[in-house]
Amino acid sequence: MSESSIKNIRNGVVASVIAGIILLLVPTVRGYASLALDWIWSGVILLWDGLFEYYSFSGWFLLVIFAFAIVGFLTIFFAIKSNFDAPEHSEYKEDSIFNLKWRWRWSGHEITNLWCFCPSCDATLVYDDSSKNSFYEPTVTHFICENCSNTTKGTITGGAKSYALGAVRREIDRRIRTGEHEH
Ligand SMILES: [Zn+2]
């Protein structure tokens, strides 16, 4: 077997393994995982050709190369799998936060459809982040129940609606981190 063929195979395998390690460490790169799988597959084809074309190629060396390729493949496989697995806290979809009843869904590890409901009658609340008495006062978001004679059921201080939802998301994350949501 020629020197350059061995180098080509080795480079392909090393690149696959490195790709696997990068995928394991950097979540944002996982989208490129399928690209890397194609890459590994072409590496396997190359090895297969090598096996039959160059019979002098020693068996143990092939075995080592295959082992590396499999490690790379499994790494990528589990990286993809863990991304689609439901998080452990996927049953945590409701809680009382800032005196309001909040409900949400999980899309992977992202909170979606986050909204609040009346703690006394469970009606969907409406928000008002437009009222502000003076320039110097912080922006507030009121959550109002139309079913309870338009009473304000809760107020989040510090910003408008998107800020209020962000604050609730941060509180949900905090309760998950500290394990408070299990009590
Ligand atoms: Zn109500």
Side-chain angles (χ1 to χ4, degrees):
M1 180 166 191
S2 70
E3 232 358 81
S4 67
S5 299
I6 295 174
K7 271 184 186 160
N8 278 343
I9 292 168
R10 190 199 58 198
N11 290 346
V13 171
V14 167
S16 300
V17 172
I18 289 171
I21 292 166
I22 291 170
L23 284 163
L24 185 71
L25 296 178
V26 188
T28 51
V29 184
R30 285 177 189 174
Y32 297 106
S34 63
L35 209 73
L37 284 178
D38 283 347
W39 205 11
I40 288 185
W41 181 240
S42 57
V44 169
I45 298 287
L46 201 71
L47 276 174
W48 195 253
D49 287 345
L51 184 66
F52 287 97
E53 213 176 316
Y54 309 102
Y55 47 85
S56 62
F57 204 12
S58 64
W60 66 266
F61 188 59
L62 263 181
L63 212 68
V64 168
I65 288 174
F66 267 117
F68 273 109
I70 286 167
V71 167
F73 177 80
L74 287 179
T75 304
I76 292 167
F77 174 77
F78 285 114
I80 294 169
K81 190 172 168 290
S82 75
N83 222 27
F84 284 100
D85 279 349
E88 289 158 33
H89 45 262
S90 59
E91 289 306 305
Y92 179 49
K93 293 182 286 195
E94 185 181 321
D95 207 347
S96 172
I97 298 165
F98 304 125
N99 299 319
L100 299 168
K101 190 191 277 184
W102 292 88
R103 293 196 181 100
W104 61 90
R105 290 190 190 144
W106 290 101
S107 167
H109 291 264
E110 295 290 315
I111 293 165
T112 60
N113 296 69
L114 175 67
W115 198 246
C116 55
F117 299 83
C118 178
S120 20
C121 75
D122 208 32
T124 306
L125 299 183
V126 292
Y127 75 96
D128 174 17
D129 58 6
S130 60
S131 48
K132 199 175 173 187
N133 296 330
S134 78
F135 178 79
Y136 300 99
E137 279 181 21
T139 305
V140 294
T141 303
H142 298 295
F143 290 94
I144 300 150
C145 181
E146 294 168 310
N147 197 41
C148 295
S149 330
N150 288 322
T151 47
T152 298
K153 292 292 176 174
T155 299
I156 296 176
T157 307
K161 178 197 162 200
S162 61
Y163 171 88
L165 290 180
V168 173
R169 279 198 174 85
R170 287 191 290 279
E171 176 61 13
I172 292 168
D173 285 340
R174 191 192 67 78
R175 290 185 187 185
I176 290 169
R177 265 200 317 282
T178 59
E180 258 173 70
H181 67 295
E182 284 159 2
H183 303 305

